[in-house]
Amino acid sequence: MAAHAKAQLSSGIVDMFQLAAYAVCENNSRGRRFKESSPHHRTEFQRDRDRIVHSAAFRRLEYKTQVFVNHEGDMYRTRLTHSLEVAQIGRAIARILHLNEDLTESIALAHDLGHTPFGHAGQEALNRCMQDYGGFEHNLQSLRVVDELEEKYADFNGLNLSFETREGILKHCSLSNARILGEVGERFIKQQQPSLEAQLVNLADEIAYNSHDVDDGLRAGLITIEQLLAVQLFREQYEHVVRNYPDLPQRRVIHEVVRRIIDSQVSDLVESSRVCIGKVKPQSITDIRCANDTLVSFGPGMKQLNQELKHFLRSALYRHYRVLRMSIKAEKIVSSLFEVFMNDARLLPPEYYRKVASEKSVNSVAGQARVVADYIAGMTDRYAISEYERMFNPMMST
Ligand code: MG
């Protein structure tokens, strides 16, 4: 076993699996913003994961959705089940590639914490509302949730997560925001790559949402198997399943196809990443950061197949008239709430009004807008709908 893998971790736990020399381990962590003593009986990244799982923002993911609105049915993915699926896929690949599973899991579970209600439509609406006040970006908001908005601990705001989890959450960032963020935004200024664990979660996210959008889209009747047969990734697996199981009920066929799509993507990702890593031969996390490109990657063939699937989902599912109708409602709810709270901050719940009052003295209207955006982004789908009713339906109690 390599020396680095035998090393006693700072939390006192010996890593059970051999980490690659270029994986993140506690010994090369850049630490937390507020100094804390090492955890007992768990690793630093397990502590991050546990704090994420116990956060209010994580619980709210149960009632937030990506494409479908929460009340449409109990069988659809929510942001919570999506995050669990990303963590499952991420952990499996991390183990095969000898990367840090605990860190991968933490980043995966936290990656969607900053999402608004109503998925993409809600995010776009809030971004439009915030355009004169610095914009709204869900990656940045996820970081804001774990750095500032969770108010649970005695010694600090936020969850005080390790640098590596925070950096992994921040998938994209403009240069101007990177400068404001300091250390965690540094890699965007230096044009460096994130850890392989962060790169991995990014693609595990893609594998999870593409495959579950196929599954949920079929279940909702918004797309059909006949349409999907035009997509090679689906068609190949579908033909294989019906050839081998001609009498299988359709629901089982769909599940078999979806799980095979996930499996083929995971296998491709593992093999292609091994090849990329083998070419660059990184010896440390610094080599990963300084590489010209990301090293966790699909091969060219799978990239193309994925593009075809994404293109299909964009045109057939995300632009389906029923999805667009919901997007219009989401836009109306988010922008109406934003407008009403910007016009009169006294209508906000007291804890948010207090923040506006203190922010305003420092940062004027932009400060108020950020507090209103935090309030709206934190809402679940159903909370946003009932808050809209309370504000605009005279028959509803306030
Ligand atoms: Mg996601």
Side-chain angles (χ1 to χ4, degrees), residues 152-297:
K152 306 166 78 76
Y153 294 89
D155 293 327
F156 43 78
N157 277 347
L159 306 178
N160 198 29
L161 301 182
S162 62
F163 173 85
E164 289 73 19
T165 300
R166 296 171 59 233
E167 193 199 38
I169 292 171
L170 195 64
K171 208 160 55 174
H172 315 286
C173 185
S174 65
L175 278 182
S176 53
N177 280 324
R179 287 192 194 97
I180 297 167
L181 289 169
E183 197 187 13
V184 77
E186 216 169 63
R187 79 171 182 88
F188 296 96
I189 297 165
K190 292 183 175 169
Q191 297 187 322
Q192 290 185 335
Q193 309 299 338
S195 67
L196 291 186
E197 288 80 357
Q199 295 180 27
L200 167 52
V201 172
N202 198 6
L203 293 177
D205 185 24
E206 201 174 307
I207 293 173
Y209 67 67
N210 282 335
S211 53
H212 66 51
D213 284 351
V214 167
D215 193 28
D216 285 350
L218 284 168
R219 181 176 283 109
L222 300 182
I223 51 177
T224 62
I225 287 176
E226 289 65 38
Q227 282 177 300
L228 273 161
L229 288 176
V231 178
Q232 191 182 340
L233 198 56
F234 184 92
R235 184 176 61 246
E236 283 176 0
Q237 303 301 344
Y238 180 83
E239 286 172 352
H240 176 84
V241 173
V242 294
R243 198 169 42 242
N244 288 288
Y245 304 95
D247 300 322
L248 205 61
Q250 196 181 71
R251 201 55 246 168
R252 287 197 193 209
V253 170
I254 293 169
H255 178 76
E256 283 292 335
V257 173
V258 170
R259 85 178 180 94
R260 283 171 161 79
I261 290 175
I262 295 174
D263 190 58
S264 66
Q265 294 191 311
V266 167
S267 301
D268 183 89
L269 190 63
V270 167
E271 290 316 315
S272 308
S273 303
R274 274 184 179 149
V275 171
C276 289
I277 293 168
K279 275 185 195 154
V280 174
K281 297 190 177 49
Q283 299 301 313
S284 67
I285 180 81
T286 310
D287 292 346
I288 300 295
R289 291 183 175 284
C290 296
N292 290 331
D293 209 346
T294 53
L295 300 182
V296 176
S297 168

Side-chain angles (χ1 to χ4, degrees), residues 128-144:
R128 267 196 295 278
C129 295
M130 287 294 287
Q131 108 182 286
D132 293 336
Y133 313 109
F136 178 89
E137 212 278 300
H138 68 84
N139 273 158
L140 265 178
Q141 190 68 10
S142 297
L143 189 65
R144 197 165 153 74

